[in-house]
Amino acid sequence: MCERYLMLAFLSTLIILLTACHKTSTEVNKMMDALNLNLISTNDNLLTSMEPTFDIDYSVPLEKSRFLFEPIFSDSMVLQANAVIKFHGSHDTDGKIALMFNGQTYYSEVTTNQLFSFYIGYYTHGGPYEMTLYTKTSKYVFKDIMIGEVYLMSGQSNMAITMSQILNSANSAYTQKIKQDIDDIDKEKIRFITVGILGSSEPLNKFQTHQTYPWEVLSSDNALNVSATAFYFAQEILNQYDIPVGIIISAVGATYTNTWIPKVDAIGMDSTYVKNISDADTPSQYYNGMIAPLKHMIFRGVIWYQGEGQDVKYEENVTKLIHGWRREFSNPNLKFLIVGLPRFDFDLPNTQESWFQVRKQQQRLANIEGVTYSVNIDLGILSSQTNDPIHPYDKDLIGKRAAHAFMDAFYEAPGIWTSPRLIYAGYLDGKLILKFSNVGEGIYLTDKKTGFEVSSDGIRFSYAEPKLVDHETIELNARLDNVQAIRYGYSYSFQEVFGSNGQPGSLSELVCVFNSGHYPLDQFLIYT
């Protein structure tokens, strides 16, 4: 029976992946038009002059040892499209310097402290290109540069966990799928950097020696060492747009939100999660060591996956992180995607309540301008079916849904890319009715009609069976005369559906409402 449920879950995943990949050429063109109009307008007034300040001698020798760059500037790098990009480094002598890229030449100065910088842009998606820097006596050439969409992938262990790690915890069917995904990833357009773990008491201006290495092209040879969530997120952006994708992965397992908040924003923070003075709990440690060195980069957005077990003041703390990073990156429009927590069935009922409260706060974070949220309430792996339940191996859908939610919110992608939304709950003609928007061709119910509960006092809840009325409406059989509260996506056990022990065959069976895009209705608690 257990294997049957696992196979059904696997087949459902394949159906979702195949359905979402089918697009007409008109849809693709509309998506690209919207994307190319999506400018990042920071530092427009700082564009470096293209007025010549010296005669370039193209025959000067290639002397890379005379230049020094951060690992974020290397062969195979991805630079953010439709943005003004700061490109900086150092040279062993001061004087004039020029940068040639994509048919344009910019002129600047190497200062007396041997530093130089350029602000270049805007460039549309494409590549590969070369970039050459010239001084009067030497030159440096970068090769295989792409212009694309660049994302900062950050958070705790579920962002850091690699393709190799999910392979080790997956069942046999999923193992084969993950291996096939790795074999199929040899596409030149996805590049990545993984930032090495380092905490610091003060913000760092650059990465430490051997902390971070240059850009790599994602391939089947190196994919095992890449964040699984980042892998599937980047793969889906590429699949949908066929443009270069850059991912910088900067994540540390078992870290509280406060460790990622800039120091000025962490002053006076509530001490709820600052109780064990250690590297993992010291405020701003990982912002200082792993985010601050990136603050001159331009990203399209941040994908944030963190929050397990941190239900107290999670919303307040992540809000500080968002505003702090936007300020430090000098990008008030920096986009954020919050990855909604999937299910986790260990240590119930504490986990049940804690995860529900974190998701509730994640939903509210999406009310901040430029912030959105992906729904994963039907995902997660039963603890009886994996050796690592807090790190579910179904990262393919987690990464894919994050990409879809980002596309929907910030790329104006046409179609249904996110979950149905509850817009009405109450009595109509004596019936308890729920109505939804963002349903596409309509909502549907799965065979296991689970997830809905009602209460007459807001404290004690009982199962309510849903019935589909039309493409956007559900009626609940409340079995109560005076329903005061309705909740969905909370409980992990339904004897009315699963029999005497109330246990599902998979965590996906704990919810039942999806729209035509196969996105699940998110959890809610409302009072009628």
Side-chain angles (χ1 to χ4, degrees):
M1 184 66 71
C2 178
E3 287 297 322
R4 175 176 171 270
Y5 283 127
L6 291 175
M7 183 55 69
L8 285 173
F10 175 63
L11 291 174
S12 297
T13 297
L14 287 179
I15 291 170
I16 294 169
L17 295 176
L18 291 171
T19 301
C21 285
H22 179 70
K23 304 189 301 299
T24 67
S25 59
T26 301
E27 288 173 329
V28 172
N29 291 335
K30 285 182 178 179
M31 291 167 68
M32 282 305 303
D33 288 344
L35 185 58
N36 285 325
L37 290 172
N38 202 331
L39 300 180
I40 299 176
S41 58
T42 58
N43 295 328
D44 295 53
N45 60 328
L46 294 178
L47 277 170
T48 299
S49 173
M50 288 187 279
E51 185 71 27
T53 58
F54 72 105
D55 293 327
I56 298 174
D57 180 358
Y58 300 103
S59 66
V60 294
L62 179 69
E63 294 183 305
K64 290 191 172 184
S65 62
R66 299 184 65 184
F67 294 80
L68 185 63
F69 298 96
E70 286 287 292
I72 57 175
F73 300 120
S74 71
D75 291 344
S76 302
M77 63 183 155
V78 183
L79 301 176
Q80 176 60 51
N82 301 318
V84 176
I85 303 157
K86 182 180 182 182
F87 192 92
H88 57 95
S90 64
H91 187 263
D92 61 8
T93 57
D94 58 7
K96 308 291 186 182
I97 188 169
L99 182 154
M100 298 183 66
F101 181 66
N102 201 18
Q104 295 178 310
T105 303
Y106 301 85
Y107 293 85
S108 187
E109 295 272 347
V110 181
T111 61
T112 54
N113 58 2
Q114 301 182 339
L115 301 178
F116 64 84
S117 63
F118 293 88
Y119 288 89
I120 64 175
Y122 297 89
Y123 299 106
T124 57
H125 305 85
Y129 302 111
E130 286 192 0
M131 176 187 290
T132 306
L133 291 102
Y134 289 93
T135 68
K136 291 184 176 181
T137 57
S138 62
K139 66 182 177 185
Y140 191 110
V141 179
F142 290 102
K143 297 182 178 180
D144 191 33
I145 299 170
M146 293 290 192
I147 302 297
E149 295 296 288
V150 186
Y151 307 91
L152 176 54
M153 319 291 292
S154 192
Q156 59 187 104
S157 55
N158 268 306
M159 180 60 83
I161 194 169
T162 64
M163 294 293 284
S164 175
Q165 288 170 298
I166 65 169
L167 264 177
N168 291 335
S169 64
N171 65 54
S172 57
Y174 240 98
T175 295
Q176 292 306 310
K177 180 190 180 305
I178 294 167
K179 288 180 177 179
Q180 188 62 54
D181 291 340
I182 291 172
D183 288 342
D184 292 343
I185 202 62
D186 287 305
K187 300 172 181 175
E188 290 288 314
K189 290 183 179 179
I190 300 178
R191 287 59 185 315
F192 73 96
I193 289 177
T194 299
V195 176
I197 297 174
L198 179 68
S200 174
S201 59
E202 296 295 332
L204 301 179
N205 291 321
K206 62 181 181 179
F207 291 115
Q208 301 303 288
T209 305
H210 305 309
Q211 179 190 358
T212 299
Y213 294 93
W215 287 90
E216 296 182 65
V217 178
L218 184 61
S219 71
S220 55
D221 293 330
N222 56 30
L224 285 173
N225 299 320
V226 172
S227 155
T229 300
F231 176 101
Y232 285 110
F233 176 90
Q235 181 190 58
E236 185 60 13
I237 294 293
L238 176 62
N239 287 345
Q240 295 295 337
Y241 290 94
D242 192 27
I243 54 175
V245 179
I247 47 176
I248 295 186
I249 304 149
S250 186
V252 182
T255 50
Y256 292 128
T257 314
N258 64 283
T259 64
W260 296 97
I261 295 175
K263 196 170 184 178
V264 64
D265 302 285
I267 294 172
M269 274 188 66
D270 181 85
S271 61
T272 304
Y273 294 123
V274 193
K275 50 193 175 186
N276 303 313
I277 302 302
S278 68
D279 282 349
D281 301 310
T282 304
S284 307
Q285 280 271 322
Y286 297 115
Y287 169 80
N288 291 340
M290 299 174 64
I291 302 298
L294 295 167
K295 70 178 185 179
H296 293 300
M297 277 205 72
I298 295 293
F299 296 97
R300 176 66 73 184
V302 176
I303 313 303
W304 180 255
Y305 190 172
Q306 186 262 358
E308 294 87 342
Q310 299 182 40
D311 52 284
V312 179
K313 294 198 174 182
Y314 180 79
E315 179 186 4
E316 176 183 320
N317 293 340
V318 177
T319 298
K320 288 185 177 181
L321 182 149
I322 291 168
H323 293 321
W325 286 23
R326 285 174 169 174
R327 183 192 63 249
E328 296 299 319
F329 279 87
S330 299
N331 185 357
N333 299 314
L334 181 63
K335 310 304 184 187
F336 277 79
L337 180 287
I338 309 296
V339 176
L341 296 187
R343 295 283 188 139
F344 177 51
D345 72 335
F346 187 75
D347 191 29
L348 294 174
N350 293 332
T351 297
Q352 176 176 265
E353 176 64 20
S354 175
W355 262 240
F356 190 87
Q357 291 302 325
V358 171
R359 290 191 210 99
K360 187 176 179 180
Q361 293 174 77
Q362 290 180 321
Q363 291 170 346
R364 292 198 298 263
L365 285 166
N367 293 325
I368 300 173
E369 183 71 25
V371 179
T372 194
Y373 164 75
S374 62
V375 178
N376 300 298
I377 190 67
D378 60 325
L379 302 182
I381 309 298
L382 283 169
S383 56
S384 60
Q385 298 172 359
T386 178
N387 59 20
D388 193 10
I390 199 169
H391 302 125
Y393 53 73
D394 49 358
K395 291 291 191 291
D396 52 341
L397 279 178
I398 289 174
K400 188 181 186 75
R401 285 180 181 169
H404 290 177
F406 199 97
M407 290 161 49
D408 180 73
F410 307 129
Y411 291 164
E412 301 179 15
I416 298 295
W417 298 101
T418 56
S419 296
R421 303 181 186 102
L422 179 67
I423 58 174
Y424 173 83
Y427 284 95
L428 291 174
D429 299 326
K431 297 178 180 180
L432 188 55
I433 296 296
L434 306 175
K435 286 187 174 291
F436 304 90
S437 64
N438 201 51
V439 300
E441 296 176 7
I443 55 173
Y444 66 90
L445 301 178
T446 58
D447 292 340
K448 307 293 185 182
K449 295 179 173 59
T450 55
F452 289 102
E453 298 171 282
V454 292
S455 172
S456 59
D457 59 9
I459 300 173
R460 291 164 295 184
F461 284 80
S462 59
Y463 171 67
E465 182 178 0
K467 182 178 73 172
L468 191 62
V469 176
D470 59 37
H471 74 289
E472 61 180 9
T473 310
I474 286 173
E475 177 188 343
L476 293 182
N477 182 3
R479 302 176 188 174
L480 293 175
D481 292 332
N482 184 27
V483 171
Q484 297 296 316
I486 307 169
R487 72 183 180 191
Y488 177 79
Y490 181 90
S491 293
Y492 283 66
S493 175
F494 292 94
Q495 291 183 344
E496 298 86 350
V497 178
F498 302 118
S500 59
N501 69 1
Q503 300 304 303
S506 70
L507 291 176
S508 64
E509 293 184 339
L510 293 171
V511 292
C512 69
V513 182
F514 293 77
N515 62 18
S516 62
H518 308 294
Y519 300 100
L521 173 64
D522 199 11
Q523 70 173 41
F524 64 80
L525 170 61
I526 60 170
Y527 296 89
T528 60

